[in-house]
Amino acid sequence: DGSASKQDYSGLGGGGHVNFWLGDSYTLQIDGAASFFRNDDSDYRVFAMEALVHAGWRDPDKGYFGGFGGLLSYGYAGYSGTGCSGSCSFDQYVIGGEGAVYWDTMTFFAQGGFMDSWSADGGSRGNSFTNTWFGRGGLRYFANPNVKLEASGGILSGDQYTNKPVDMPFWKIEGEYKPDDSRVSWFASYGGYSEDEIDYEHTNHTVAGGVRVHFDQKSLMSFDRSGASLDFFDTRMLIQAYDH
């Protein structure tokens, strides 16, 4: 509407991923994560949790094909926006399919599915997405077995809880390095998303860095092909979007 603003956020989070081999050709991966962040210019605060399960066929020399499902839960306070007075919480379920092709020093991957939301107490679902489809794809390149570069992107297409249609592209690039004799790797990433509404355009940029601890894997490349390497896009965009 002609009035522009820039807002800064800071946060902290973490998660874990465990992969189980079910025989020689099938795997089951369980993910859990939690994060907290706040708007540095106001009292707006968000706590987010997610739990996902991936299951499918896998060959470390060829690729992976399977499906996933999970629950995403969000609560936020210090905000009085559309359908929300002071604080809101809502849950999302997500289901979909995914696959990867391992070719020499590169991994090509794709993911797509559907998500919807509900409120456990029947109250407001704030800025959640409903009847929303998503697609995502990307490439991982290993300069050597312990140096990984990754680029990915995708789009969400559906409705916001107040029946506003949305098509939201999102993207991410990441670099990761692990010393040869260490189980700890270091990573840095940049990601974002953009939404173009009738009355405004909103773009979010997120820069992150941290460490990962790897168990029973010899290199980042072997972890990618036979470890708990399946992932999901940054779902914090679901509650940062609109009005923020």
Side-chain angles (χ1 to χ4, degrees):
D1 59 2
S3 60
S5 64
K6 177 175 180 288
Q7 301 184 44
D8 296 323
Y9 294 82
S10 58
L12 181 67
H17 310 265
V18 181
N19 180 68
F20 302 93
W21 279 91
L22 308 177
D24 296 331
S25 301
Y26 298 93
T27 63
L28 176 70
Q29 179 178 314
I30 300 173
D31 304 341
S35 63
F36 171 82
F37 65 93
R38 64 182 296 272
N39 186 318
D40 296 336
D41 302 313
S42 71
D43 195 36
Y44 176 57
R45 308 175 303 281
V46 173
F47 183 73
M49 296 183 294
E50 59 184 61
L52 294 166
V53 175
H54 309 255
W57 171 88
R58 196 172 203 175
D59 184 330
D61 295 321
K62 296 179 180 179
Y64 170 86
F65 178 77
F68 63 93
L71 297 175
L72 318 171
S73 183
Y74 309 92
Y76 49 105
Y79 164 62
S80 297
T82 304
C84 183
S85 178
S87 63
C88 285
S89 64
F90 66 88
D91 301 295
Q92 300 264 168
Y93 76 82
V94 56
I95 56 173
E98 58 191 348
V101 175
Y102 309 138
W103 184 63
D104 195 21
T105 59
M106 293 183 288
T107 295
F108 301 90
F109 61 91
Q111 190 177 61
F114 177 80
M115 64 174 61
D116 206 346
S117 67
W118 78 93
S119 176
D121 58 6
S124 171
R125 286 181 275 173
N127 292 328
S128 65
F129 285 167
T130 62
N131 299 318
T132 297
W133 295 90
F134 61 88
R136 171 179 174 250
L139 167 68
R140 299 186 186 105
Y141 168 70
F142 294 88
N144 67 52
N146 278 318
V147 175
K148 181 189 77 174
L149 301 174
E150 179 176 323
S152 64
I155 190 168
L156 293 167
S157 182
D159 295 313
Q160 193 254 1
Y161 180 55
T162 52
N163 296 319
K164 293 180 180 179
V166 61
D167 291 307
M168 181 184 293
F170 56 92
W171 57 88
K172 183 179 181 181
I173 57 174
E174 180 177 289
E176 184 174 3
Y177 165 72
K178 187 178 80 68
D180 291 341
D181 297 325
S182 174
R183 293 187 182 272
V184 176
S185 65
W186 300 83
F187 73 92
S189 68
Y190 157 72
Y193 64 84
S194 180
E195 50 179 323
D196 190 0
E197 281 292 311
I198 296 174
D199 55 351
Y200 69 93
E201 182 177 354
H202 172 93
T203 302
N204 174 278
H205 305 277
T206 299
V207 176
V211 297
R212 295 188 176 107
V213 180
H214 304 266
F215 298 95
D216 301 324
Q217 298 296 332
K218 296 180 181 180
S219 68
L220 293 180
M221 190 169 173
S222 66
F223 173 79
D224 177 68
R225 276 84 195 278
S226 61
S229 58
L230 304 172
D231 62 0
F232 197 56
F233 58 82
D234 185 357
T235 59
R236 287 175 297 180
M237 70 178 75
L238 300 176
I239 34 76
Q240 280 184 267
Y242 300 95
D243 305 314
H244 302 300

